[in-house]
Amino acid sequence: MQNKIMYTSVMNIVDDELFGSNERNRVRNTGVFLLDASKKKNTLFFVGKCGGEVRVELTINFEQVSNGDVKVKESAKLFEGISTDTNDLDGTASKSTTIKKNTSKTITFRVRNTAEGGDYADITLQVRNTSIAADDCKNSIKAKAQELGTGFTGSPRTAIDRPVSVRNGKMVGFQKCDIYCSPQTGPHEIHGAIRQKYNAVGGPDNALGLPATDETTTPDGKGKFNHFTGNGSVYWHPTTGPKLVRGGIRGTWARTGWERGQYGYPTSDEIRIDPDKSEWFSDFQNGVIYWANNKSIAPYTAGLDGAKVRGLFEKIFKEKAASQKDLNIESVRIASVSDTGYHFTRSKNRTVTFKISGNYESGVFFIPNPSYTITLKIAFESDTHPNGKVACKLSARLAHWHIHTSGVGHDSLLKGLKKAVLEGFSRPFELGEVPQNSGLLSFKVQQDGGIKLYFTGNTTGRIVALVAQEKLKDL
């Protein structure tokens, strides 16, 4: 059952003046929303100001009752001081009532300044409570569209009075969103990149089923998600793109804290390794969840931490700059590590930015040596997306560079450094190859700038991870 709530709230505020005429203001708010099994309560909050001294804060709580009635409680606070930003609370009032299903009601009460002066606000709330049966998807979708507003939905692309039948429910498509409904879920919208992902994997014909929530902001405030009836979700983040996560992998992710836990956001859809085996994995910003034999199994790994990657890069840079014989390298450090990169299918790896600084021996003892700072952004990549089966070539390439020089004679230094960087990093640096069917699931840059390879949690994955670790040590 859904309750369609149409409301109009009016605050008539009076700022009582000792001298001259009283000042008055009228604040009106109106809207529509739904209460259903997924949202049994709703809270509205309005603020009205008057005369430069009076502020009224109104909170209205609605709660759905099982028989279709709705409980309403209004609470008002009146503040009065030298400005409308005051925290001087001078009066409170509240009123509660129940609105029967399919009826309208007008509720009035007054909040007064009980501490000083004759300031007050007369508050009027008009509510229409329309009960919509759980199986009445036509009116549920219409009410949902009215709640969202045409600015959100755009124009309907299918007849709103004749919802399209889909697997286990109904749907009306709009320019900017789709609204799905079933007796079990009620009406829910999907839009944007999540809508694109949902449609790309088959929409309601996919194992995801119908949306069980509207698009919702994640608890960390950075991403969005829709949950679906088929034990699955689509999560979106501005540096990952929309990704599907479901089943046991989703359960493991949930138990570790969702996006705020150790794994971060998903960076791939759920990937099935072998169609003949119950073996899947999902890639995440900070790890991999591998599922086999109906349980989550820790993947085997090989890698280098950030300090070792920094040392490896210093070794590579010195080899590339060997032609600059009088170049002094004072420091090589990891300046920053980017976030993952947006992609619809498989999020891009983090990039690592290195800074190299030093000076150049000018050969003139009484003139300070010219100095330099080189910024190199390095992308660590696999030529194909690992999926547990394909062969992969792993490499590091120069994605962006910047050189700053200063001091007497720095122009020639700049010219030489540009030549060394552009020639030395013209080709990617090969990190190694992983043969076909070696169980490689992911090649990932860690938050500290380290690199890690994830392999299946079986015998093959364990052996290949050991071999890969030895090869990384030899780089």
Side-chain angles (χ1 to χ4, degrees):
M1 176 185 294
Q2 292 95 43
N3 293 88
K4 176 184 174 183
I5 307 299
M6 303 179 67
Y7 68 87
T8 299
S9 169
V10 177
M11 291 187 284
N12 288 307
I13 308 171
V14 175
D15 180 6
D16 181 60
E17 301 289 354
L18 293 176
F19 304 99
S21 301
N22 293 339
E23 296 187 73
R24 301 174 184 270
N25 189 27
R26 186 172 189 266
V27 179
R28 183 176 185 271
N29 292 281
T30 185
V32 179
F33 63 86
L34 288 177
L35 298 174
D36 57 27
S38 66
K39 184 182 179 183
K40 292 180 177 291
K41 298 180 180 181
N42 191 34
T43 298
L44 305 176
F45 180 74
F46 304 119
V47 176
K49 299 180 180 182
C50 182
E53 297 175 354
V54 176
R55 182 178 81 254
V56 178
E57 296 181 354
L58 175 64
T59 302
I60 312 174
N61 293 304
F62 297 82
E63 182 178 357
Q64 183 189 55
V65 183
S66 59
N67 64 357
D69 296 348
V70 172
K71 292 181 179 179
V72 180
K73 181 177 181 180
E74 295 184 88
S75 301
K77 297 179 179 180
L78 187 150
F79 298 83
E80 194 271 341
I82 60 174
S83 75
T84 54
D85 294 327
T86 180
N87 290 318
D88 185 7
L89 178 61
D90 288 328
T92 63
S94 64
K95 192 165 188 178
S96 299
T97 190
T98 297
I99 303 173
K100 300 292 185 179
K101 66 179 180 180
N102 299 318
T103 65
S104 299
K105 198 166 191 176
T106 300
I107 308 147
T108 61
F109 70 104
R110 174 176 286 190
V111 58
R112 300 176 180 273
N113 186 338
T114 57
E116 54 187 1
D119 314 307
Y120 66 89
D122 285 325
I123 297 170
T124 301
L125 176 66
Q126 295 176 319
V127 179
R128 172 66 184 174
N129 172 21
T130 302
S131 177
I132 303 174
D135 59 355
D136 186 0
C137 277
K138 181 182 80 170
N139 284 314
S140 289
I141 291 175
K142 288 177 70 174
K144 185 69 175 180
Q146 188 177 1
E147 175 187 31
L148 296 170
T150 55
F152 184 96
T153 66
S155 301
R157 299 187 302 178
T158 58
I160 195 167
D161 286 319
R162 294 190 301 277
V164 176
S165 293
V166 297
R167 184 183 177 190
N168 297 323
K170 301 284 187 180
M171 185 271 284
V172 173
F174 295 81
Q175 287 179 324
K176 299 178 183 179
C177 75
D178 295 323
I179 301 177
Y180 289 85
C181 177
S182 75
Q184 293 73 36
T185 64
H188 294 293
E189 62 80 22
I190 57 173
H191 69 277
I194 292 179
R195 177 198 198 188
Q196 294 173 5
K197 174 65 74 172
Y198 182 60
N199 290 336
V201 299
D205 293 327
N206 183 274
L208 277 174
L210 297 177
T213 67
D214 295 340
E215 182 175 300
T216 306
T217 300
T218 52
D220 71 354
K222 299 176 182 178
K224 305 286 184 181
F225 70 89
N226 279 83
H227 292 324
F228 294 84
T229 57
N231 191 20
S233 305
V234 176
Y235 272 75
W236 172 93
H237 184 276
T239 66
T240 64
K243 301 295 181 288
L244 184 161
V245 58
R246 62 179 306 273
I249 291 175
R250 178 177 179 265
T252 299
W253 185 44
R255 286 191 295 274
T256 59
W258 300 96
E259 77 283 350
R260 292 189 291 182
Q262 68 189 71
Y263 292 100
Y265 282 85
T267 54
S268 77
D269 295 338
E270 182 182 79
I271 299 171
R272 190 163 189 173
I273 298 171
D274 189 335
D276 298 326
K277 297 179 181 179
S278 298
E279 191 179 17
W280 295 268
F281 76 96
S282 284
D283 208 355
F284 292 82
Q285 288 177 311
N286 304 317
V288 170
I289 298 178
Y290 169 71
W291 187 267
N293 301 320
N294 292 319
K295 60 183 179 180
S296 178
I297 301 174
Y300 290 102
T301 63
L304 301 173
D305 63 21
K308 291 180 180 177
V309 168
R310 189 216 63 79
L312 173 62
F313 181 79
E314 180 175 1
K315 173 186 171 184
I316 294 170
F317 181 80
K318 287 180 177 178
E319 291 174 354
K320 302 294 186 184
S323 61
Q324 304 294 310
K325 300 186 184 301
D326 295 319
L327 192 70
N328 294 322
I329 300 173
E330 295 177 351
S331 71
V332 177
R333 63 185 179 90
I334 293 177
S336 64
V337 180
S338 77
D339 206 339
T340 48
Y342 187 99
H343 196 273
F344 190 76
T345 304
R346 196 87 177 254
S347 305
K348 298 176 184 178
N349 220 341
R350 296 181 175 99
T351 59
V352 182
T353 299
F354 296 88
K355 283 205 172 182
I356 307 100
S357 59
N359 61 73
Y360 187 78
E361 293 287 351
S362 66
V364 182
F365 75 92
F366 56 86
I367 297 178
N369 293 331
S371 60
Y372 67 89
T373 300
I374 303 173
T375 303
L376 302 179
K377 182 184 290 186
I378 303 297
F380 292 84
E381 298 172 331
S382 174
D383 64 337
T384 56
H385 291 309
N387 64 5
K389 296 176 292 185
V390 297
C392 299
K393 293 182 179 180
L394 311 180
S395 63
R397 67 171 178 85
L398 180 63
H400 178 77
W401 63 273
H402 180 266
I403 301 173
H404 174 76
T405 58
S406 61
V408 177
H410 75 93
D411 290 340
S412 59
L413 172 60
L414 177 60
K415 183 178 179 181
L417 288 175
K418 282 184 178 180
K419 182 175 183 295
V421 168
L422 294 177
E423 290 182 357
F425 290 89
S426 61
R427 289 186 176 185
F429 178 76
E430 294 184 3
L431 298 173
E433 295 186 24
V434 180
Q436 189 175 6
N437 296 319
S438 296
L440 178 65
L441 306 177
S442 180
F443 173 48
K444 195 180 304 297
V445 174
Q446 303 297 297
Q447 290 174 303
D448 69 344
I451 56 175
K452 185 174 284 190
L453 285 70
Y454 295 80
F455 297 89
T456 51
N458 53 28
T459 301
T460 298
R462 179 176 63 82
I463 294 172
V464 178
L466 290 172
V467 173
Q469 186 63 60
E470 292 303 314
K471 289 186 176 293
L472 288 173
K473 289 180 180 178
D474 294 337
L475 288 175

